C-alpha cells in the first residue's frame, strides 16, 4: 500500500475520539449554500462540489473551504477570482450550466508555466492546459507536447505523481491520416510517458478520455508528492494492455486510483463504459450499456476495497460522478437506471459528450470520497 495517512493526530484525539468539530463554512451568510461543509473536519485537502452559477459566483479565495480550481460546464460566466477555470465545452443535459469546484482548506498558490494554469497546495498540484488549432491534423503531436510539458512540470515542482488526468478532445471519433483522432491522442500521450516517466507506462494515473464538439485538446490533472494506489478491474483487461486493434499505442490510464490524505481517502474512478475484456458490449442499446458500465463500476470499487482495505461507499452523499451521453435523447433512460442503482443521494452531472469508441453511448467517471471523520 503506497498511499498514506499523514497527521492522523490532527483529526483524532485518542482512539476513536473526534477532536471538537469545527463546522467549516458554518458562519451565517459566509458561504453559499452549495459550499456549506457538512463534514466536521478541521482540514480538507481536497473535495469536489457541484454548484449552480449563482452559488459559484459568490465564492471567495478567503472562504474557509476555498476553491482551488473549477470546471465550467455549459454557458457560465468565469468568476475571474484567480483560481484556474476550465471550460469543458460539454453541455449539461439537465440544466443550462453546472460548475464543479475543487475545494480545500489548505493555502493555495496560483502560477502559470508552459501554457498550464496551476493551483498549488501543500498536498496537491492542479494544472490545466488547452491546445487549439488541431482540427485538421496534429493531435498526436499536441498530446505528446502537452504530456511532456506536464510531466516535466510536476517533477520540477515536487509533485511527480499523477493521480488523475482529464482529457477532452475535439472530434474524438474523427479520422486523421486514416487513424481515429483518439488513437492519435493515445499515441502522443504514450510517447510522452515512455520518454519522460517510463515507470508510469504500466502504472498510469486514473483518467477519462472524452470528446467535445470544439475546444481542441483540453487536459487537466491532479498530481501529488507521493503515489496513490492504481486499481484494475477484474472484468476488464487493463487499458494499457489493450490489443493493437484499438490503436498503435494503448490508452495510458488505470481503471481507478486510491489516494489518502489526512482528510480521508479519495478513490478516483476513471471513465468506465460498457466494455468487458477489451470488447465493447451491447452495441446500439443504451439501457444495457448503462447497466454494464455500472457493473464495471461496482466490480472496480470492490477490487479497490480488497486491494487497499479501505471501505468505499459508492452510494454516499460525498460521491461525485459525471455521466457522459453520446445522444441527448438517452438522458432520461440513463438517469433512471443510474438512480435505480446508486440511489438519489449520489451527485451525478449528466453531460453531452462523445465517447472514445464510436459504438459506446455512455461512460461514467468521478470520485468517491471517504472522509476520515464521518458526518
Ligand atoms: C475504455 O474503457 C473507455 O484514454 O484516458 C476511459 C477512460 C476511456 C480513460 C483515456 C479512455 C480513457 O477504454 C475509454
Amino acid at each position: 500500500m503506497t498511499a498514506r495517512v499523514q497527521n492522523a493526530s490532527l483529526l483524532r484525539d485518542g482512539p476513536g475520539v473526534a477532536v471538537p468539530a469545527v463546522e467549516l463554512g458554518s458562519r451565517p451568510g459566509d458561504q453559499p449554500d452549495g459550499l456549506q461543509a457538512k463534514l466536521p473536519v478541521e482540514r480538507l485537502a481536497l473535495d469536489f462540489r457541484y454548484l449552480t452559477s449563482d452559488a459559484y459566483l459568490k465564492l471567495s479565495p478567503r472562504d474557509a473551504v476555498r476553491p482551488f480550481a473549477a470546471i465550467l460546464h455549459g454557458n457560465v460566466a468565469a468568476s475571474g477570482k484567480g483560481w484556474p477555470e476550465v471550460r469543458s465545452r460539454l453541455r449539461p443535459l439537465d440544466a443550462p450550466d453546472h460548475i464543479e469546484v475543487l475545494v480545500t482548506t489548505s493555502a493555495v498558490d496560483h502560477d502559470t508555466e508552459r501554457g498550464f494554469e496551476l493551483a498549488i497546495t501543500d498536498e496537491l498540484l492542479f494544472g490545466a492546459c488547452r491546445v487549439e488549432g488541431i482540427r485538421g491534423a496534429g493531435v498526436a503531436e499536441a498530446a505528446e507536447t502537452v504530456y511532456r510539458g506536464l510531466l516535466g512540470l510536476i517533477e520540477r515542482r515536487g509533485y511527480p505523481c499523477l493521480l488523475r488526468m482529464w482529457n477532452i478532445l475535439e472530434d474524438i471519433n474523427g479520422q486523421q491520416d486514416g487513424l481515429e483522432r483518439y488513437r492519435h491522442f493515445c499515441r502522443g500521450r504514450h510517447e510522452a510517458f515512455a520518454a519522460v516517466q517510463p515507470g508510469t507506462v504500466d502504472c498510469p494515473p486514473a483518467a477519462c478520455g472524452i470528446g467535445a464538439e470544439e475546444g481542441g485538446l483540453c487536459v487537466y490533472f491532479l498530481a501529488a508528492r507521493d503515489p496513490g494506489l492504481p486499481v484494475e478491474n477484474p472484468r476488464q483487461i487493463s487499458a494499457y494492455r489493450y490489443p493493437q486493434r484499438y490503436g498503435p499505442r494503448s490508452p495510458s490510464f488505470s481503471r481507478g486510483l486510491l489516494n489518502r490524505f489526512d482528510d480521508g481517502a479519495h478513490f478516483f474512478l476513471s471513465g468506465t463504459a460498457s466494455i468487458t475484456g477489451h470488447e465493447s458490449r451491447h452495441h446500439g442499446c443504451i439501457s444495457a450499456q448503462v447497466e454494464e458500465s455500472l457493473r464495471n463500476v461496482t466490480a472496480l470499487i470492490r477490487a479497490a476495497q480488497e486491494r487497499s482495505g479501505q471501505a468505499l461507499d459508492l452510494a454516499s452523499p460525498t460521491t461525485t460522478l459525471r455521466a457522459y451521453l453520446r445522444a441527448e435523447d438517452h438522458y432520461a433512460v440513463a438517469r433512471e437506471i443510474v438512480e435505480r442503482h446508486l440511489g438519489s443521494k449520489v451527485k451525478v452531472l449528466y453531460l453531452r459528450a462523445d465517447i472514445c469508441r464510436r459504438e459506446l453511448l455512455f461512460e461514467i467517471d468521478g470520485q468517491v470520497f471517504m472522509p476520515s471523520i464521518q458526518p
Side-chain angles (χ1 to χ4, degrees):
M1 177 73 208
T2 42
R4 68 252 162 258
V5 178
Q6 303 154 331
N7 300 328
S9 58
L10 263 180
L11 297 171
R12 296 260 171 211
D13 179 20
V17 183
V19 295
V22 182
E23 272 288 353
L24 289 169
S26 59
R27 279 169 294 169
D30 225 30
Q31 299 248 335
D33 294 346
L35 216 75
Q36 284 279 358
K38 311 273 187 316
L39 307 173
V41 291
E42 285 202 318
R43 283 198 1 84
L44 195 53
L46 170 69
D47 198 6
F48 288 73
R49 303 285 164 83
Y50 290 168
L51 300 188
T52 63
S53 48
D54 285 350
Y56 178 64
L57 291 171
K58 291 181 193 145
L59 300 184
S60 155
R62 288 175 301 280
D63 294 336
V65 180
R66 58 187 68 107
F68 73 102
I71 318 304
L72 316 185
H73 304 288
N75 262 331
V76 197
S79 81
K81 289 181 187 162
W83 55 82
E85 297 184 288
V86 182
R87 286 188 185 282
S88 70
R89 313 286 178 107
L90 304 175
R91 189 162 36 83
L93 292 170
D94 58 345
D97 50 60
H98 279 297
I99 299 96
E100 267 181 84
V101 190
L102 283 69
V103 297
T104 184
T105 56
S106 300
V108 185
D109 276 336
H110 298 294
D111 202 354
T112 57
E113 183 181 334
R114 298 177 178 221
F116 281 87
E117 273 193 77
L118 305 175
I120 308 154
T121 70
D122 268 353
E123 301 90 356
L124 285 167
L125 173 62
F126 173 95
C129 163
R130 184 186 302 278
V131 182
E132 300 211 66
I134 52 166
R135 215 160 258 184
V139 172
E141 294 73 12
E144 185 171 346
T145 304
V146 164
Y147 270 79
R148 279 180 179 268
L150 77 87
L151 289 169
L153 183 160
I154 61 175
E155 279 300 329
R156 276 196 310 284
R157 290 185 180 249
Y159 301 80
C161 306
L162 282 175
L163 303 177
R164 177 51 151 120
M165 301 293 321
W166 289 263
N167 305 287
I168 307 174
L169 176 61
E170 175 176 345
D171 189 21
I172 195 167
N173 302 124
Q175 294 283 317
Q176 219 175 277
D177 306 321
L179 191 67
E180 194 179 39
R181 284 161 60 87
Y182 172 63
R183 299 178 183 194
H184 282 283
F185 166 79
C186 287
R187 191 160 60 83
R189 173 174 60 178
H190 180 275
E191 295 308 320
F193 274 122
V196 186
Q197 217 182 54
T200 314
V201 167
D202 49 14
C203 191
C208 57
I210 48 160
E213 277 146 39
E214 50 172 41
L217 173 63
C218 171
V219 173
Y220 59 99
F221 67 83
L222 278 173
R225 298 186 186 280
D226 302 297
L229 178 74
V231 180
E232 290 302 301
N233 187 337
R235 304 181 82 238
Q236 299 182 301
I237 287 180
S238 295
Y240 50 88
R241 300 204 179 113
Y242 277 167
Q244 285 254 327
R245 63 182 251 220
Y246 299 104
R249 289 285 182 244
S250 303
S252 317
F253 71 96
S254 291
R255 298 293 176 187
L257 183 143
L258 184 77
N259 184 73
R260 282 199 195 124
F261 291 127
D262 56 10
D263 61 344
H266 294 266
F267 182 68
F268 296 100
L269 169 70
S270 293
T272 305
S274 178
I275 296 174
T276 60
H278 54 75
E279 277 173 297
S280 307
R281 304 290 170 185
H282 318 295
H283 292 222
C285 183
I286 181 66
S287 55
Q289 287 203 11
V290 175
E291 301 268 3
E292 196 71 70
S293 304
L294 294 173
R295 275 195 289 279
N296 277 331
V297 171
T298 305
L300 179 66
I301 300 271
R302 188 176 306 126
Q305 299 191 118
E306 281 167 9
R307 274 215 65 193
S308 66
Q310 169 69 51
L312 295 170
D313 180 7
L314 180 64
S316 132
T318 53
T319 292
T320 42
L321 302 176
R322 316 203 286 189
Y324 308 101
L325 286 151
R326 185 182 290 279
E328 191 164 350
D329 56 4
H330 290 159
Y331 165 62
V333 63
R335 179 168 190 148
E336 191 270 317
I337 297 168
V338 169
E339 288 187 352
R340 177 149 42 81
H341 282 260
L342 304 184
S344 52
K345 274 190 284 179
V346 180
K347 297 173 190 74
V348 187
L349 291 186
Y350 292 85
L351 302 167
R352 215 308 299 165
D354 293 329
I355 322 295
C356 65
R357 293 183 185 184
R358 273 182 180 281
E359 66 278 11
L360 293 176
L361 304 170
F362 177 84
E363 184 169 308
I364 188 161
D365 73 357
Q367 310 61 230
V368 179
F369 178 37
M370 299 300 285
S372 299
I373 299 175
Q374 292 300 313

